[in-house]
Amino acid sequence: MLPLYKIILCHILNPKSDKSCEFIKNGALVLKRSKDGYKVLEIGKEKSILPKYNAKRSIEVMDTLGKVCMPSFFDTHFHWVQDDVRLMPKKNLLQWLINYTWPYEAKFKDKGYSKDKAQKFANELVSVGTLGGACYASIHAHTADDALKYFVGDFVVGNVLMTMESPDYLTQTKKQAIALVKKQTEKFKNKYALTPRFAPTTHPDVMIESSKFAKKNKSFIQTHLSETTNEIEYVLGLYSKIKGYEKIKTYTDIYKKAKMLGPKTIMGHGIYLSDAELKTLSNTKTSIAHCPTSNAPVKQLGLGSGLFNFKKAEKYKIHWSLASDIGGGPFVSMFDVMQSFVSQNAKAKVSGATYTKALFRATVAGAQALKLSKTHGSLDSGKFANFILVNAPKNLGDKSEEVLSQIISKNKNKRASYDNMVEQTFYKGECVFIR
Ligand code: GUN
Ligand code: FE
């Protein structure tokens, strides 16, 4: 029989907002079993918590002092079928897609290959502490099935839809694309996200028809928007020749016309948006997944797309969260994503891009984007016990921003090490990964 209570002794970081993160040195995280799994009952100082539970039966105490606990991550935009193109040569988005990404995604037509890769990627996710997010699979139905079968945590997944401007080996008919969305939504309900790859590769008829269906089923919708200036020129040029779209002025308007925007829609990137577009996203409560490592300069292993203006997005009250955009982003760990967000903004002399903000946007904000923040995203009482343990830094600081900086900036010059930082990952209070 599983114990009714679990107490984990550790230092605790609990994100509260962009500006605040609770930090409890020598803390205790108390979990209580419920029918759905362990939830956080309370957190506090070890000294005040332990005596309260002394007399309780059915209790397991885990002494992990020397470790820091924080909520597990949400990655709100990644392509699980791009694990092997993360570190391939990058010059710019469109060339990288054509030369590396699409030929690689085509391999997933093979069911055995997809299954092996999904199991491997599922292990990568738990090992970096990512237990939720919004994920792109390839056009092949079974790649979404495999992700939903093997990933541990709370993910929505969709097959990219590619009906035009794509290589023959990776192109569906309009009919096939629409039928795929219907079949998968019936099978996976709200875990299936409508995922037109982006306006250039997905005919507007497909976007219109499938988003009608997705909205009716209250499904999430995800796609790419305004990632690079070349891409915007390409999209607008292409749509100026499509009947009914001759007068379209902006990239966002294409998705708006397809009725794809809304509170359950997550747009990847959104770097180059006019004020009118920002207003549209805000009015429709559409969320943005910001992918700093993917957008970073080529020298930093990104696609060199540009820097997302989070201040402007916030001025327009647009919700945004952090994401890796694997394989545009080179590393799966959200620690690497957080560091890149902090470093790039510091270099550009943009204030406010703190580690505290980065943690909030990689946890709570991700849960908000997926409409899970009542039960996920932090260590607040009542939420699921989804968390990671990392080694405490030497000379552990007293303030959360300092502690987060000690933990995260440590690997900034050896980025591949971010993937090895998590010592243990817990999902609903059960250990799902131990190093
Ligand atoms: N735009 C369309 N497809 C993709 C993709 O696979 N990755 C990125 N970063 N942008 C895209
Ligand atoms: Fe992407």
Side-chain angles (χ1 to χ4, degrees), residues 77 79 224 269 325:
H77 180 120
H79 304 251
H224 295 88
H269 308 289
D325 192 28

Side-chain angles (χ1 to χ4, degrees), residues 77 79 82 93 96-97 101-102 105 197-198 224 227 231 269 294 303 325 328:
H77 180 120
H79 304 251
Q82 294 180 10
L93 168 67
W96 173 77
L97 286 175
T101 309
W102 290 347
E105 285 188 18
R197 179 166 210 127
F198 64 159
H224 295 88
E227 183 174 355
E231 173 205 14
H269 308 289
S294 167
L303 290 163
D325 192 28

Side-chain angles (χ1 to χ4, degrees), residues 245-413:
Y245 288 78
E246 298 91 340
K247 293 210 174 87
I248 279 287
K249 288 215 173 57
T250 69
Y251 199 165
T252 301
D253 278 345
I254 296 173
Y255 294 136
K256 186 181 171 195
K257 197 170 154 85
K259 299 208 164 51
M260 276 171 52
L261 307 181
K264 292 190 85 174
T265 300
I266 304 173
M267 288 288 167
H269 308 289
I271 302 176
Y272 302 97
L273 295 169
S274 64
D275 291 286
E277 290 179 282
L278 289 162
K279 221 177 249 173
T280 300
L281 295 178
S282 176
N283 289 342
T284 53
K285 296 192 162 57
T286 301
S287 175
I288 291 179
H290 165 37
C291 315
T293 53
S294 167
N295 304 153
V298 171
K299 267 198 192 146
Q300 293 168 27
L301 308 175
L303 290 163
S305 306
L307 185 59
F308 173 68
N309 190 337
F310 73 84
K311 288 208 160 156
K312 205 156 178 197
E314 287 173 15
K315 196 178 117 197
Y316 280 93
K317 297 192 166 44
I318 295 170
H319 182 274
W320 69 272
S321 51
L322 281 171
S324 72
D325 192 28
I326 292 300
F331 299 109
V332 184
S333 170
M334 291 303 288
F335 283 121
D336 183 56
V337 173
M338 290 190 269
Q339 179 60 50
S340 178
F341 168 72
V342 172
S343 303
Q344 287 190 72
N345 281 292
K347 182 146 191 267
K349 302 207 168 8
V350 178
S351 62
T354 60
Y355 288 99
T356 302
K357 187 180 185 84
L359 179 67
F360 181 76
R361 296 284 166 174
T363 55
V364 180
Q368 288 167 342
L370 288 167
K371 310 297 175 218
L372 288 172
S373 59
K374 276 203 183 113
T375 46
H376 293 68
S378 78
L379 302 172
D380 287 354
S381 167
K383 292 195 184 187
F384 282 113
N386 299 342
F387 61 92
I388 58 170
L389 296 172
V390 300
N391 286 325
K394 281 191 204 112
N395 309 316
L396 181 70
D398 295 310
K399 296 245 157 61
S400 57
E401 179 66 16
E402 183 191 1
V403 173
L404 280 166
S405 165
Q406 288 176 325
I407 294 171
I408 302 171
S409 68
K410 196 181 87 181
N411 286 331
K412 82 175 166 193
N413 297 319

